[in-house]
Amino acid sequence: RWTGEKGKHMNNKLKISRTIMEEFSWEMIKAALDRNEVQYQVGDVVIAELRNENMQEWVITDLGKDYIRFEARDCIKDVEHEINKEWTNAGGIALSEMQGYLDNEIWALLPDDLQDVVSAVDRKYMDRKEEKIYQTKLFLPSVSEVFDEKNIYFGEGNLYEQLDYYKDCYHRIKRNGVGGGSVTWWLSSPTSGTAFFYGVTTAGAADYHGVNYSSSVAPCFIIKKS
């Protein structure tokens, strides 16, 4: 669990939330990755301003020698969206209206310096019972990344493994922006039914809703080494 001091936005730069405060820009984070000088760890938080002037906390949920994965520590403030208006989950997340919303409206909220360092990545997803791959820059976590393998009813099999960050159930609880109340939020995984997707409750438990239900959004992105 993250235990550092909460950072503050200063002079259009970023703060890594740790016991010792250090200023960074997205470009400097990418440069450190390129130089193999990454000193971050899972649970570190970057606080940055979106184009709508709301502050957003991005938490590191995974990292390796050539990548860092950031996710919205709390959901984008005052943003709710359905997976699809039409009552179907055919096409999975890749062909959903939600993915279009991430690619356009949510992407447009990111400042230029962040857009410049986000990498396109291949993401595995389920289209009903078929495993497929699509490429994207912004994505939602998969149910198998958030919950453990004991939850076999999720139907994703070995699509992904649970991230260490989400093994702490506290981290599954997300708020409506910084300082907001707890909200339900979407995952990228359809259920075995024909018109439902998985999500997370205000208490951090797994749940599912009809695709036309409006729920909060916690996007993820990955910065890769050049």
Side-chain angles (χ1 to χ4, degrees), residues 78-170:
D78 297 332
V79 167
E80 291 186 346
H81 203 271
E82 64 278 351
I83 298 292
N84 287 315
K85 291 186 176 69
E86 186 179 352
W87 190 245
T88 180
N89 61 17
I93 192 68
L95 300 183
S96 69
E97 293 175 33
M98 170 61 78
Q99 187 59 52
Y101 186 70
L102 293 173
D103 292 341
N104 295 285
E105 283 83 351
I106 299 299
W107 179 258
L109 287 176
L110 305 185
D112 288 341
D113 58 337
L114 175 52
Q115 290 184 7
D116 288 343
V117 299
V118 173
S119 302
V121 294
D122 289 335
R123 288 287 296 174
K124 295 182 288 186
Y125 72 101
M126 300 301 295
D127 182 359
R128 299 286 170 82
K129 295 183 179 181
E130 185 178 358
E131 181 180 324
K132 296 181 179 180
I133 295 176
Y134 78 115
Q135 191 172 85
T136 184
K137 288 188 174 182
L138 291 182
F139 57 94
L140 301 181
S142 167
V143 69
S144 56
E145 292 175 310
V146 177
F147 294 96
D148 63 41
E149 61 186 3
K150 294 179 181 178
N151 295 300
I152 57 175
Y153 62 87
F154 290 156
E156 281 197 348
N158 297 321
L159 191 67
Y160 287 104
E161 293 184 2
Q162 185 185 28
L163 295 173
D164 287 342
Y165 177 78
Y166 285 116
K167 291 178 180 178
D168 184 340
C169 62
Y170 174 81

Side-chain angles (χ1 to χ4, degrees), residues 62-79:
D62 192 22
L63 73 166
K65 293 182 179 180
D66 60 353
Y67 71 93
I68 304 176
R69 170 171 167 159
F70 286 92
E71 302 188 20
R73 186 185 185 202
D74 291 303
C75 295
I76 304 297
K77 185 178 180 180
D78 297 332
V79 167

Side-chain angles (χ1 to χ4, degrees), residues 204-215:
D207 200 359
Y208 60 89
H209 300 286
V211 292
N212 60 357
Y213 176 79
S214 287
S215 194

